[in-house]
Amino acid sequence: MSESLKKKQICEIKELSTRAKNALIGANILSVDDLLKMTSYDVESIPYMGKASMAQIRNYLTSRGLELDEGGHKYQNQKNRIIDDIQKWAPRLSIKDLQEIKGILDGYIPSRK
């Protein structure tokens, strides 16, 4: 990847909507290089980052032969998504249920070190 592309500022990317740019800038992601250090889960978790904005980001990166950093984070992202889903249901689950779920996750999804 060329240095000029890495240093390209988010606000200069014409292929992204104002909403997508503002969400990224609000999360202190100011350059393409900053963006490439993020995982899909991290970017999707940014406030006001919707499906359309994610699609624009993926299309922009893919068209330049780039992608978000998923290496080494795959299992942690999966675990985070499961935990997020569980938290939605947590009021309906007992402490015993939550401890059992945590044990299952710890046993099957390796922790990031």
Side-chain angles (χ1 to χ4, degrees), residues 58-59 64 90 94 104 107 111:
R58 283 196 179 103
N59 289 340
R64 284 150 182 82
S94 69
I104 292 168
S111 295

Side-chain angles (χ1 to χ4, degrees), residues 19-76:
R19 178 182 290 267
K21 290 178 193 177
N22 287 341
L24 290 170
I25 292 167
N28 205 30
I29 301 167
L30 306 175
S31 68
V32 171
D33 190 45
D34 293 339
L35 182 59
L36 293 174
K37 294 174 185 172
M38 307 287 292
T39 65
S40 295
Y41 180 79
D42 295 334
V43 177
E44 289 169 356
S45 299
I46 294 172
Y48 308 107
M49 183 62 65
K51 291 179 183 180
S53 296
M54 275 303 297
Q56 292 170 10
I57 290 167
R58 283 196 179 103
N59 289 340
Y60 174 79
L61 293 175
T62 303
S63 70
R64 284 150 182 82
L66 304 171
E67 60 183 18
L68 295 169
D69 177 22
E70 298 301 342
H73 302 287
K74 180 180 177 184
Y75 293 114
Q76 185 63 33

